[in-house]
Amino acid sequence: MTKLYVLSGPETGKTYELSGDTVYLGRSSANDIQINDKSISRMHLKVVLKDDKTFAIDLGSSNGTFTEDERLIPGQEFELHDGVPIGMGSIFFSLGKPYTGDISALQESVEHLRDMPGGFRQRTVFKNLELIYNVASVLMQSLDIYETLERILDYIFDLLKRIDRGAIILVDSETRKITEIIYRSTGKAEGDGGTYSRTIVNEVIRESKPVIYRKSEENDKSDQSESMELMNIKSAMCVPLISRSKIRGVIYVDSKKPHGFRKEDLSLLSSLSSPAAIAIENAMLYSDLEKTIDDRSKILLETEKKLRESQARFKATFDNMSSGLIVYEVVKNGEDFVVLDLNAAARRMDSVKKKAAVGKSVLEVFPWVKETGLWETFKRVYKKNRPERQAVTFYEDSKPVNWREYYLYTLPSGEMVTIFDDVSDRKKAEEEQKALQEQLLVSQKMESIGGFAGGTAHNFRNILQAISGNIEYLEMIYSDDDEVKELAESIYDSVEKGVDLINNLLHFSKRGGDYQVTDLDLSHTIMDTYEIIERVFDKRIQIKLDLDKNLFVRGNQSLLSQVFMNLFTNARDAMPEGGTLRIEAKRSGNKVVATVSDTGHGMDKETQERIFDPFFTLKDVGKGTGLGLSTSLGIVEQHKGSLSVSSKPGKGSTFKIQFPHVKRRRKEKAAPEREIKYGKGQKVLIVDDEKPALVALENLVKSLKYQAIPCEKPLEAVKNYKKWGPDAVLMDRSMPDLNGESCIRKILEKDPEARIIIISGYDESGPNGIEKDMRELIRGYITKPCMLEDLGDLLHQALKK
């Protein structure tokens, strides 16, 4: 059983056992585990155990649920691993085993995540562009090598707040030996000689690839250098400075704080490396060229060339972004915005050419900004000088067809910028995921119904066994009484209907075996069902029949009657004020076609698409299960037929059923009257914990001229088996203390030649059936309720072997 360890708060050190597959955590006493802390929501977190894995689902908590790197997205599963800490509000816990690391460092990391917009650690496209813009400004404003390096460090320390030490290390591009180090530390004076991880720096210089290092409890010390241990480095990043395919040096930063840097920090530092390398290279060139006065003109020309290349690279970056980007000039004091520039992604997404957009008002180029509410956002961002995000949905014929996410902000120059992405694929994926979750829910409901159906069938069959067994016994005792015979026939008919009901329930839940089919006239099936509804339907509903004869199909009478009963009942419910129910059945080629039409309220297209989904219903709560039409569709398809619907609101509905026509009716051979096979006084042990069923079976066994030994307790049957010495055993399967199959194995240990027959409310095959090895141990299997002839045949066969 999985344990939950509390790592912080007033219950630090407390342990909880997680029992069951789903456990709820929160401040409310309604949770499985109640944690009294104001930072925790009433219903905060759900923990689910499935497939030997553990998942956490945030239930939309106000203070969120965090790992060391990210915040859990509410409603989505997040896999938990043993010993990995989870922050729930201000309380930390771990599953499987306790976390032995530094909790205070985790709390600091989570608080950092919580302070980010929306609770997630993320950098916007704007931040990346701002960084590149600033580095490009360094390139254009200074050619002094030391000033360039110092300003690049300024930007790095400004953007990455958790840095403790940083350095720009320059190397000879040919020999790769270090030529210059510019060092910065938050805890020491600048230029103190500096310390850094030579292991990491040498690796980046050698491989020319960025590296990120984060120390954790699971790190093998062999993965760390001695210097990293001495410097207490908990997190470090290093990226190469590459220009013209040559490495010029590296940018190195580290932190003494646990969990200091993430992958997005490395991406940001990497995005800086290329323009920084150019800036450094230009500065170095200028420094070298300054030494020779005669070459000054050449150096200046070369510098200009590098600047143009840098500008070209910047423009290429702008125009090759996957996100759309448009720059606007603000005119009329924020009453209008004129397009200054737009990148290729923006032109592609909005199907507009640059010449047709530049210099024109946003409303002229993109008139839909007013319809989507984006126009007001433009004005608000300009007036408040505060960036905003906005989701925009585009419609066609009142249906959403496209989704975008916009980010708007103003530049220091006063210009307006919009960055946007087409998120339609993501939205559609979310819709598909939602549909899959709904399908999973339906599957789980069907599984629950299946389990319920199996148990119900077992219990109902025991009841039917008691009824049928006792009535057979009474019929034999009072065989000369015509009134008893008539009453017995009526009861037999009711028992048969009960058996059909159970078989239909099992068939719907896919837990039943094969159903019996015959060649039947569909018109007779419809008429039988009509005779029932004709007596009970509202007299304001006029029923019109138009049925051909000899509409033979291959099917099960009971199941097909259920289909038409469902359709007739739905038609009645669609006409609460009365109307016309028209029922037709015709032969069409090699098909038998039946239609059920009503003049009720009808359905729209969206409802028709869902009408056959399990549990979908338009009826009030308690008046419909939503299973009628899904069951009918399943029955029709298993009869190799089809079921479709056409309807319009206010115009009624028509259901059309088609079955393959049987050209020539197959005449079923009448079953010959069976002779009851009696015993010769042999002893039959009957083991069944259901008293009424046990009494009924006892009477049947006696009627078959056997000695009956009834026993309600399986343990008692095992204990007294040798003493009673039965010639045969009738064994129920589902019993308390010791189930039937276990009881059979214990009896066979005492008597390997024991003749045992299973008599059960469960079917022999299917989900609740018995295994092959058990079939080989028994002499027969009979499903309740069993009749006198069937039981007599089975006992006769068992005792004959």
Side-chain angles (χ1 to χ4, degrees):
M1 183 177 291
T2 303
K3 291 184 178 181
L4 180 144
Y5 298 86
V6 182
L7 307 176
S8 65
E11 294 186 349
T12 300
K14 191 167 184 180
T15 303
Y16 293 93
E17 297 280 351
L18 301 187
S19 59
D21 294 332
T22 302
V23 178
Y24 288 86
L25 292 83
R27 198 172 72 249
S28 169
S29 60
N31 293 278
D32 300 299
I33 296 177
Q34 182 184 12
I35 301 177
N36 287 315
D37 189 276
K38 292 182 178 180
S39 67
I40 294 177
S41 297
R42 291 179 58 79
M43 298 294 287
H44 195 111
L45 189 69
K46 179 168 69 172
V47 178
V48 180
L49 287 76
K50 60 180 181 180
D51 299 330
D52 297 326
K53 294 182 179 179
T54 306
F55 298 87
I57 303 171
D58 186 276
L59 301 175
S61 62
S62 58
N63 287 328
T65 306
F66 296 82
T67 65
E68 62 181 22
D69 287 325
E70 60 183 311
R71 176 177 180 173
L72 273 61
I73 299 175
Q76 292 192 11
E77 290 186 345
F78 180 89
E79 184 175 357
L80 301 179
H81 299 284
D82 289 352
V84 176
I86 297 295
M88 188 171 67
S90 63
I91 303 300
F92 281 79
F93 68 92
S94 64
L95 293 178
K97 60 182 181 181
Y99 175 71
T100 57
D102 186 359
I103 293 299
S104 62
L106 284 174
Q107 291 171 330
E108 181 182 359
S109 179
V110 167
E111 285 304 312
H112 178 65
L113 290 174
R114 202 190 306 278
D115 290 340
M116 291 298 177
F120 294 93
R121 181 183 174 92
Q122 62 180 9
R123 300 191 184 275
T124 64
V125 175
F126 164 66
K127 288 291 184 183
N128 288 306
L129 287 175
E130 185 180 51
L131 179 60
I132 295 171
Y133 175 81
N134 288 331
V135 173
S137 296
V138 171
L139 178 63
M140 293 183 288
Q141 295 170 10
S142 176
L143 289 173
D144 181 86
I145 182 64
Y146 294 101
E147 182 184 353
T148 299
L149 297 177
E150 291 290 346
R151 293 189 68 177
I152 291 173
L153 280 177
D154 286 343
Y155 290 125
I156 294 172
F157 272 73
D158 182 56
L159 287 166
L160 301 175
K161 300 296 185 182
R162 296 175 68 81
I163 296 176
D164 289 313
R165 289 179 292 244
I168 298 178
I169 302 167
L170 305 183
V171 299
D172 185 284
S173 60
E174 301 298 332
T175 65
R176 300 202 173 187
K177 290 183 178 180
I178 294 174
T179 60
E180 191 68 53
I181 299 176
I182 300 297
Y183 179 80
R184 181 80 58 83
S185 171
T186 57
K188 298 180 182 179
E190 294 182 15
D192 62 352
T195 56
Y196 60 90
S197 171
R198 286 167 174 75
T199 302
I200 293 176
V201 169
N202 290 337
E203 179 183 348
V204 174
I205 293 173
R206 182 177 63 254
E207 302 294 337
S208 298
K209 293 181 180 179
V211 167
I212 186 169
Y213 164 80
R214 289 188 293 174
K215 181 180 179 181
S216 66
E217 291 296 320
E218 291 77 20
N219 277 130
D220 189 332
K221 286 190 176 182
S222 63
D223 294 335
Q224 301 174 248
S225 69
E226 184 177 354
S227 64
M228 294 166 70
E229 278 291 299
L230 293 174
M231 289 186 289
N232 193 26
I233 295 175
K234 298 295 180 64
S235 183
M237 296 189 297
C238 188
V239 298
L241 295 169
I242 298 174
S243 177
R244 294 191 297 179
S245 302
K246 291 184 179 181
I247 186 162
R248 306 296 181 180
V250 299
I251 299 176
Y252 168 90
V253 294
D254 67 29
S255 174
K256 297 178 182 179
K257 305 176 182 67
H259 321 293
F261 303 126
R262 277 80 176 178
K263 291 181 179 179
E264 61 265 34
D265 296 328
L266 182 65
S267 297
L268 184 57
L269 199 60
S270 296
S271 69
L272 169 65
S273 63
S274 179
I278 296 170
I280 292 168
E281 181 182 12
N282 286 341
M284 291 175 67
L285 284 172
Y286 184 78
S287 178
D288 291 338
L289 291 173
E290 218 176 25
K291 298 174 183 178
T292 307
I293 301 299
D294 295 338
D295 295 332
R296 183 175 297 273
S297 297
K298 182 179 178 181
I299 293 172
L300 291 174
L301 290 173
E302 188 68 23
T303 302
E304 286 183 33
K305 179 182 177 182
K306 295 300 179 182
L307 286 170
R308 286 195 300 271
E309 289 177 357
S310 176
Q311 291 171 342
R313 290 190 185 96
F314 182 80
K315 187 178 184 305
T317 301
F318 169 81
D319 218 30
N320 285 286
M321 290 173 56
S322 59
S323 300
L325 191 152
I326 305 178
V327 182
Y328 297 92
E329 178 188 1
V330 181
V331 298
K332 299 178 183 178
N333 195 26
E335 291 300 316
D336 201 359
F337 304 86
V338 175
V339 178
L340 289 179
D341 200 0
L342 66 167
N343 69 355
R347 298 194 298 270
R348 182 179 64 255
M349 279 190 261
D350 283 310
S351 301
V352 62
K353 293 183 179 180
K354 189 171 184 177
K355 289 183 179 180
V358 172
K360 294 182 180 178
S361 166
V362 61
L363 292 176
E364 184 179 354
V365 182
F366 311 113
W368 45 261
V369 296
K370 276 197 172 182
E371 301 170 8
T372 59
L374 200 59
W375 178 244
E376 296 302 322
T377 308
F378 266 87
K379 292 183 176 181
R380 191 167 54 250
V381 170
Y382 172 73
K383 289 180 180 179
K384 295 184 177 181
N385 195 24
R386 187 186 306 160
E388 285 192 27
R389 294 182 181 277
Q390 182 172 337
V392 174
T393 304
F394 296 90
Y395 294 85
E396 286 184 8
D397 298 328
S398 301
K399 290 187 177 181
V401 294
N402 190 266
W403 292 264
R404 288 187 190 173
E405 289 182 353
Y406 278 79
Y407 183 68
L408 296 84
Y409 61 94
T410 56
L411 294 173
S413 62
E415 295 165 335
M416 177 78 74
V417 175
T418 61
I419 300 175
F420 52 96
D421 290 284
D422 189 323
V423 294
S424 300
D425 290 341
R426 189 184 75 194
K427 286 285 187 180
K428 291 174 182 176
E430 290 173 355
E431 291 295 325
E432 291 175 359
Q433 183 181 17
K434 182 180 179 182
L436 289 173
Q437 289 173 340
E438 290 177 352
Q439 291 177 13
L440 176 60
L441 180 61
V442 169
S443 176
Q444 291 170 339
K445 288 181 179 179
M446 292 300 291
E447 181 62 27
S448 298
I449 289 176
F452 167 76
T456 300
H458 169 264
N459 294 330
F460 197 24
R461 282 170 171 167
N462 273 321
I463 295 171
L464 294 178
Q465 179 63 65
I467 296 171
S468 65
N470 286 324
I471 197 62
E472 279 198 294
Y473 182 66
L474 288 173
E475 189 180 20
M476 292 186 68
I477 295 175
Y478 300 100
S479 57
D480 296 331
D481 191 325
D482 292 337
E483 187 176 351
V484 170
K485 282 187 175 181
E486 183 178 349
L487 181 62
E489 286 298 325
S490 176
I491 295 175
Y492 286 148
D493 184 57
S494 296
V495 169
E496 189 65 32
K497 289 179 180 178
V499 171
D500 283 345
L501 178 63
I502 284 297
N503 289 339
N504 289 345
L505 180 62
L506 290 173
H507 176 263
F508 168 73
S509 65
K510 294 182 170 56
R511 286 180 173 256
D514 295 334
Y515 51 85
Q516 184 177 2
V517 296
T518 59
D519 289 344
L520 53 86
D521 190 338
L522 193 64
S523 61
H524 292 167
T525 303
I526 295 173
M527 279 300 301
D528 290 343
T529 313
Y530 161 75
E531 289 173 0
I532 297 173
I533 67 167
E534 194 270 339
R535 293 193 297 269
V536 298
F537 271 24
D538 191 324
K539 298 306 178 184
R540 291 178 297 174
I541 296 177
Q542 183 180 8
I543 304 175
K544 295 184 178 181
L545 287 174
D546 184 6
L547 308 176
D548 287 352
K549 296 181 180 180
N550 299 322
L551 301 177
F552 292 109
V553 298
R554 186 75 175 164
N556 177 272
Q557 174 79 14
S558 178
L559 293 177
L560 292 180
S561 294
Q562 181 181 346
V563 171
F564 286 102
M565 181 61 75
N566 285 338
L567 295 179
F568 297 163
T569 303
N570 283 347
R572 176 201 63 189
D573 294 342
M575 299 182 291
E577 304 300 326
T580 301
L581 170 60
R582 185 179 299 277
I583 306 165
E584 297 181 355
K586 305 288 181 181
R587 167 85 180 277
S588 177
N590 60 352
K591 299 285 185 181
V592 172
V593 181
T595 56
V596 179
S597 304
D598 64 69
T599 58
H601 46 61
M603 297 174 284
D604 57 26
K605 186 174 293 185
E606 182 179 353
T607 302
Q608 292 179 59
E609 291 174 353
R610 300 187 59 195
I611 197 71
F612 296 109
D613 292 347
F615 307 104
F616 176 78
T617 179
L618 298 174
K619 298 176 183 178
D620 294 336
V621 175
K623 294 185 178 181
T625 64
L627 294 174
L629 286 176
S630 62
T631 302
S632 299
L633 178 63
I635 293 172
V636 170
E637 289 180 344
Q638 288 184 347
H639 282 72
K640 299 180 180 180
S642 64
L643 173 59
S644 59
V645 62
S646 61
S647 180
K648 288 184 178 180
K651 300 294 184 180
S653 302
T654 298
F655 287 85
K656 182 178 180 181
I657 311 174
Q658 296 187 76
F659 294 109
H661 178 255
V662 178
K663 293 183 179 179
R664 183 180 301 168
R665 184 178 182 185
R666 302 171 188 167
K667 294 184 179 180
E668 306 292 338
K669 294 181 179 179
E673 290 191 11
R674 296 168 60 187
E675 178 184 352
I676 299 176
K677 296 179 180 177
Y678 293 96
K680 299 178 180 179
Q682 297 99 320
K683 290 186 287 184
V684 177
L685 172 61
I686 310 168
V687 186
D688 197 318
D689 65 307
E690 294 284 344
K691 183 70 174 178
L694 180 64
V695 171
L697 289 171
E698 179 185 1
N699 290 333
L700 288 179
V701 168
K702 288 179 180 178
S703 300
L704 292 169
K705 299 182 180 180
Y706 293 99
Q707 296 182 52
I709 307 173
C711 180
E712 287 186 67
K713 300 178 180 178
L715 290 174
E716 183 181 347
V718 174
K719 180 180 178 181
N720 296 304
Y721 181 82
K722 287 287 189 181
K723 173 184 170 183
W724 292 335
D727 298 291
V729 179
L730 292 177
M731 179 70 66
D732 188 25
R733 277 181 61 195
S734 180
M735 295 181 289
D737 300 328
L738 186 69
N739 64 45
E741 294 185 24
S742 298
C743 187
I744 289 171
R745 296 183 192 277
K746 289 186 177 293
I747 288 175
L748 289 172
E749 289 176 5
K750 293 177 175 287
D751 180 11
E753 300 300 322
R755 296 173 168 86
I756 303 174
I757 298 169
I758 291 179
I759 179 166
S760 173
Y762 291 114
D763 290 320
E764 182 178 3
S765 59
N768 295 315
I770 59 174
E771 300 294 334
K772 182 179 178 182
D773 66 323
M774 178 54 62
R775 288 191 182 93
E776 294 174 351
L777 296 177
I778 61 176
R779 299 299 179 93
Y781 192 110
I782 189 168
T783 304
K784 297 176 182 176
C786 64
M787 307 304 287
L788 197 65
E789 295 91 340
D790 299 322
L791 186 59
D793 286 346
L794 208 55
L795 284 170
H796 177 77
Q797 291 296 326
L799 291 168
K800 187 172 66 173
K801 297 179 181 177

